[in-house]
Each structure stands twice: as C-alpha cells, then as structure tokens.
Amino acid sequence: MDGSFYITTPIYYVNDVPHIGHAYTTCAADVLARFHRMKGERVLFSTGTDEHGQKIARAAQDAGLTPQELVDRVVLRFQDLWKRMHISHDVFIRTTDPEHERTVQSFFLLLKEKGYIYKGEYEGWYCVPCETFWTEAQLEGRLVCPDCGRPLERLREESYFFALSKFTEPLLRYLDEHPDFVMPESRFNEIYSFVKGGLKDQSISRLGVRWGIPVPGDPDHTIYVWFDALINHLTVVGFGRDRELFETFWPSAHHLVGKDILRFHAVLWPSMLLAAGLPLPRRVFAHGWWTVEGEKMSKSKGNVVDPLEVIARFGVDRFRYFLMREVSFGLDGDFSERAFVERSNADLSDNFGNLIHRTLNMVWKYRSGRVAKPSRYEDREWEELLQEVRERFFAFMDRFAFSQALGEVWRLVHFGNRYLDQRAPWRMAKDPGLGEELDRVLYRLLDCGRILGVFVFPFMPETATRLLQYLGVEEILEDCNPLALCDWGKGPSVFSVAQPEPLFPRLQG
Ligand code: MSP
C-alpha cells in the first residue's frame, strides 16, 4: 500500500554487547523511519534481538548464567544504546517473545503442510559463531568457516530440511523481474550468480540444542536460529494474528542488513516466503563494514568501537552524522578519530553551525531578534538551488544514499555561507537606506535555517530540534508533512529568534 513504510534492522545476537556495526544499521534505519514519517507516511520501524541458538547458550555457560539470564541482561545494553542514540523504533522484538515463538511454529507447520519441509539426516559442518551450516563441497578441503575463518564442528544428525532447491528457478525469475530487490547493484549481481549456481536444501533444525524453539510435534528438535530469526520480520507485522497490520505494512517491507548476512535475507528468506505463498519484501539493502583505524575490528585486537564511548565524548549527533556522511551506504568504511574530528569540524562546526550562529547573531545585533517577512523577499538563485537540492535529496533518500543526500543539503549550507559573505549584512546595517534589503537578506537566511532544520532532522534529530527552537518554528515538526514545508514562502510571518549557543563547538584534534 502506498503511504506505508516498514523498515527493519537485523535482530542482534545478545552473546555480546553492541558495537559500532550494530549502531550503524540501526542509525540508518532510524534515518529512514524519520524521513518517511516526515513525508506523512505510516511507518513501522522494528529492531530487536536474536536470542536463541548454540552461540547464545555457550556464551551463557561461559558467563555462569542460564541463557535466559544472559539474554535478559544483554538485551538491556541494546535497549539503552538505542535510547541514547535517539533511535525511534516502534517495535523492539525479542525472539524469546511468546508471540514470536508461536509465529515461528505456525510458519514451520505451514511450510510442512505445503510439502516444503521434510525429515532427513544432516551430515556436514557447522560454524557456531556464524550459526551456519557448511557442506564439504563449499569448504574446498579447509575445515574452517569460509565466512569468519574459525574452526567448524562436525555434525551428523537427524534434521528437518527446507526444500530450498525448489526455489532456484522461481527466485531467479523474481530477481529478473525486480532488479532493485537487492541493493546495491554489486550485491544484486553477487546474489544472482549465487542463485544461478543452484540452491541446495537447507537444514532447519538441530538436535541437542536445547536453547531454541521446539519443532512442533517433535520437541527433541529445535528450529535453526536463522529460520527462527528471519521470521521476526513477519511477527512484527502481525502475521497470522493481525490482518490489517499485515496488509498495511508487509508489502512495503525494507530490510537493512550487513553484507555478511545478505544471503540469508536475499536467498533463504525470499524462498521461505515464496514457499508460504507470501509476497516478497520490497527491498533488501546490504551495507558495508567498518574497519577501525584501518584494521578489522575484533575483540582480540581490543579495537572494538563502543558507541556509548563515542557519544559520551563527542555527542550523539556528531556520531550519527559521521556514520551517515563518511561512507557511501553500501561500501566499506574506516572509523578513525582523526577522520571523525576533521569531518565534524569541517562540516558541522565551520559550515553548518557557523552559518546558523552568524545568522542568529546578526539578527540579534541588527534587529533585536525579530525579522518580519518582508515584501519581495523572493530570490531566483535561492529558489532554483532549493528546488534542485530537494529533488536530488529525495531521489538519494529513495535509494538509501544517505551520504549523497547530505551532500545535497550541504550545498544549501555552502550557498548560505557564501551569500552571507557576499551580501555582508554588517555593511548594509550601516546604511539606513538599505534597511529593507537587510531584512530580506536576514529573512532568507533564517528561512534557509528553517529548511535546513527539517532536512537534517532525520539525521540529527536533537540538533535539528534545537535549531528550529532557536528559530522559534519548532512546531513545524508537529506537522504531518514537514518536508512539504521546505519551500520559500512557507516560513512564519515573523521570525522571533532565541539567543544562540553554538550548535557544534569545534573539537580539539
Ligand atoms: N542475528 C543475526 C541477524 C538476524 S536478522 C534476522 C546477526 N546478528 S549480529 O549481532 O551478528 O549482527 C550483526 C550485524 O552487525 C550484521 O548486519 C553485520 O553486518 C553488522 N556488523 C558486524 N560487524 C560490523 C562492522 N564492523 N561494520 C558494520 N557492520 C557490522 O547477524
């Protein structure tokens, strides 16, 4: 249905505390959720935790806790981080929620009834950290996980299988018809050739792993964690329990995932949905990975970036901005303190913050904080630029090209700073004959600040709110479609502004 937008993050394993990789996807999903709400759409934004499986059970054992105790403890770390990052999710799903467990079991039964699940024997290798099955053929003689490089465990056990191989052709057809189902394009191509190579049936239960959802009618087996986890995307939209919710949001589902877990979302998941006779999500977008100071992030190297530390040192909006601006969404990137400080100072302090601060200071200095909408305040150059920026901003946001979308907004910032320098209000203020022109210049700059506040809101909600409060127009955020108000002439009849504090004081490098 048009006018609805359902956005999901992966649900995160709770064997470990959150790091920058988790923060990244969740921040991107939040930006999208906020952007679509600002377009007046109905939005459902979900995130959560993946709490079953052998990996979690072992982590609990190592910590001397029961799995339930461990997950109840670690889930708080995630929930706390999302609060501090101003994440605006509507739903936080845990795979241990009884509602989810019921949904998984009924989905399992549905596929079984349709003849896509059968019992057999699995013989092969298993990577516990990745919770992934591997066949000998995939390993090419090396007994380590092709994804993470860690040692594998040998498995030979009775298992339920999902007839994934039946979906090679249907999935290829779907990909042919929906070239933007998987994004970016390079990932689409990767998935396409993987499917073309032929899909193999997938083991979807484990014997002897107690920490999981029992297979209905055969409780010695528990359901494979990925099968369980993927279904969260249906639980959230009320599959099997709330038809209206489901019909409103399911057709507009967008999944954000890291590149390492793309296959699960772009091969296994759509096949499960095809088997159930359900429509597929609109888009699966795979983003890249962050290295830290040029190195792979790992616990053993001790270089894992803790988002809470970054926020405590630099503030939440600098962090959100850096994540979304530094790297083109889809590519890998590097997190370094130097890059962080440089980008923050250049973009946020020297350009964005400075434009706002100079404008507000002049409004106080020359107009005691008030500027009424002047007659003939239109300006061709501003109008043309804004129109172009807006069109391109929307187009980039539609493709989840956050960095490029921000680049567009910053064209307005640069233009504003240049305009200020060129029109030099401080000179106009000395000439009483130019009073009206001074009002026009100041009003345009204030209106530019208002429009900037709306554009940056999805990325930096706290800063944008502060900016709009300084300008006395924060009620724009209550509007059902603030983005439609990003136009000249939609500003207030009088700007009555607050005494400003710098939005982004420069950081010491
Ligand atoms: N539980 C599964 C997802 C199930 S979704 C139905 C899972 N959980 S996870 O906790 O391991 O989450 C990993 C997410 O964090 C993945 O999207 C992964 O790509 C991302 N990242 C982990 N390290 C990362 C970086 N260094 N950089 C960016 N993202 C990274 O997988």
Side-chain angles (χ1 to χ4, degrees):
M1 174 177 179
D2 249 19
S4 298
F5 186 77
Y6 174 32
I7 180 80
T8 72
T9 73
I11 48 172
Y12 304 110
Y13 288 128
V14 281
N15 60 317
D16 210 347
V17 297
H19 57 60
I20 184 179
H22 308 115
Y24 187 42
T25 333
T26 310
C27 180
D30 186 60
V31 169
L32 285 170
R34 289 176 183 274
F35 172 71
H36 283 269
R37 287 190 199 112
M38 286 184 108
K39 288 207 293 183
E41 294 176 16
R42 277 186 292 183
V43 170
L44 183 64
F45 167 19
S46 81
T47 187
T49 41
D50 193 351
E51 303 189 349
H52 291 128
Q54 202 167 358
K55 182 216 254 310
I56 308 288
R58 286 206 187 148
Q61 203 174 18
D62 293 346
L65 300 169
T66 66
Q68 192 65 54
E69 283 167 345
L70 176 81
V71 300
D72 286 347
R73 200 171 283 191
V74 183
V75 72
L76 299 175
R77 299 287 295 265
F78 280 90
Q79 289 170 333
D80 176 53
L81 176 61
W82 304 151
K83 207 183 278 166
R84 286 171 198 245
M85 281 187 68
H86 300 152
I87 301 300
S88 63
H89 51 284
D90 303 291
V91 178
F92 188 98
I93 181 163
R94 303 177 59 179
T95 53
T96 49
D97 291 342
E99 197 162 74
H100 173 70
E101 299 191 344
R102 278 195 295 275
T103 309
V104 171
Q105 289 188 324
S106 61
F107 192 90
F108 186 100
L109 284 176
L110 177 68
L111 261 51
K112 193 152 175 261
E113 276 156 25
K114 287 180 179 269
Y116 291 116
I117 289 181
Y118 62 90
K119 208 173 194 178
E121 183 173 78
Y122 178 80
E123 180 160 11
W125 299 87
Y126 195 75
C127 174
V128 175
C130 296
E131 299 277 20
T132 304
F133 294 95
W134 297 102
T135 60
E136 308 253 299
Q138 289 170 309
L139 298 179
E140 297 165 348
R142 300 182 59 230
L143 296 185
V144 293
C145 173
D147 270 355
C148 72
R150 281 175 278 203
L152 297 167
E153 296 186 13
R154 181 80 187 156
L155 284 188
R156 184 175 174 186
E157 61 188 33
E158 187 185 79
S159 176
Y160 285 89
F161 282 83
F162 168 54
L164 184 59
S165 59
K166 293 211 167 106
F167 295 92
T168 306
E169 286 311 316
L171 196 51
L172 278 178
R173 259 199 315 279
Y174 191 86
L175 290 169
D176 279 329
E177 285 161 15
H178 300 85
D180 57 2
F181 173 58
V182 178
M183 286 177 72
E185 199 184 341
S186 58
R187 300 288 170 203
F188 178 94
N189 296 336
E190 191 183 300
I191 290 297
Y192 195 89
S193 44
F194 178 77
V195 179
K196 205 149 194 205
L199 301 176
K200 299 206 172 43
D201 288 358
Q202 166 79 44
S203 167
I204 53 160
S205 73
R206 295 290 314 276
L207 263 183
V209 174
R210 302 306 340 130
W211 183 241
I213 302 177
V215 166
D218 197 352
D220 288 343
H221 290 263
T222 51
I223 295 176
Y224 172 44
V225 264
W226 268 101
F227 194 86
D228 161 355
L230 287 162
I231 294 171
N232 94 82
H233 301 314
L234 288 179
T235 308
V236 167
V237 285
F239 175 69
R241 37 168 236 285
D242 185 339
R243 207 187 164 115
E244 198 191 325
L245 184 67
F246 186 78
E247 284 173 1
T248 304
F249 287 111
W250 181 247
S252 65
H254 295 74
H255 301 312
L256 294 188
V257 299
K259 61 182 183 179
D260 55 317
I261 59 170
L262 177 62
R263 262 188 214 172
F264 291 105
H265 282 84
V267 178
L268 178 59
W269 180 226
S271 303
M272 287 162 64
L273 292 165
L274 287 171
L278 292 171
L280 302 197
R282 182 86 48 87
R283 183 184 296 171
V284 181
F285 194 108
H287 65 68
W289 269 44
W290 288 94
T291 50
V292 177
E293 311 279 347
E295 293 207 50
K296 201 174 161 202
M297 193 167 67
S298 81
K299 255 207 218 158
S300 52
K301 285 203 191 100
N303 66 348
V304 176
V305 176
D306 176 356
L308 287 178
E309 256 171 52
V310 181
I311 294 171
R313 273 187 72 195
F314 300 117
V316 58
D317 279 352
R318 281 200 184 87
F319 183 47
R320 291 176 58 117
Y321 178 80
F322 183 81
L323 291 178
M324 294 297 102
R325 181 66 175 113
E326 182 70 2
V327 192
S328 192
F329 202 57
L331 301 180
D332 293 336
D334 186 52
F335 191 91
S336 73
E337 187 160 329
R338 199 168 136 218
F340 189 100
V341 169
E342 274 179 15
R343 183 165 285 286
S344 226
N345 282 344
D347 295 5
L348 297 177
S349 308
D350 300 349
N351 280 301
F352 182 80
N354 210 17
L355 171 64
I356 304 302
H357 204 63
R358 289 162 84 201
T359 301
L360 292 179
N361 272 332
M362 281 184 238
V363 170
W364 274 103
K365 197 155 169 198
Y366 308 128
R367 291 292 182 262
S368 311
R370 278 171 68 86
V371 182
K373 191 189 258 183
S375 57
R376 290 183 298 106
Y377 78 103
E378 298 80 1
D379 182 303
R380 275 280 295 280
E381 249 190 309
W382 274 113
E383 276 166 25
E384 282 171 12
L385 176 68
L386 176 62
Q387 195 178 345
E388 194 182 310
V389 161
R390 197 175 33 209
E391 270 166 29
R392 291 169 59 92
F393 177 78
F394 274 80
F396 283 130
M397 290 300 281
D398 280 344
R399 300 187 60 75
F400 301 176
F402 306 112
S403 181
Q404 290 84 342
L406 282 168
E408 288 301 316
V409 179
W410 255 250
R411 285 174 64 197
L412 274 181
V413 173
H414 293 306
F415 185 85
N417 274 318
R418 259 197 326 271
Y419 180 83
L420 224 171
D421 292 339
Q422 281 165 3
R423 304 307 300 269
W426 51 93
R427 279 207 293 273
M428 289 181 178
K430 289 190 187 135
D431 183 344
L434 291 177
E436 229 183 295
E437 188 52 18
L438 177 59
D439 281 342
R440 281 189 202 108
V441 168
L442 292 177
Y443 190 91
R444 279 176 201 137
L445 287 164
L446 289 166
D447 215 21
C448 174
R450 177 184 69 91
I451 290 166
L452 287 173
V454 175
F455 278 138
V456 301
F457 180 81
F459 298 88
M460 300 187 284
E462 185 178 78
T463 302
T465 306
R466 239 174 96 197
L467 164 57
L468 294 168
Q469 277 165 354
Y470 284 168
L471 296 173
V473 294
E474 69 270 31
E475 72 281 353
I476 194 174
L477 294 172
E478 319 273 290
D479 194 272
C480 63
N481 189 350
L483 281 162
L485 301 175
C486 280
D487 208 351
W488 305 120
K490 303 248 163 102
S493 52
V494 181
F495 272 108
S496 178
V497 309
Q499 291 274 7
E501 293 284 322
L503 290 171
F504 292 105
R506 277 181 72 86
L507 299 172
Q508 297 310 313

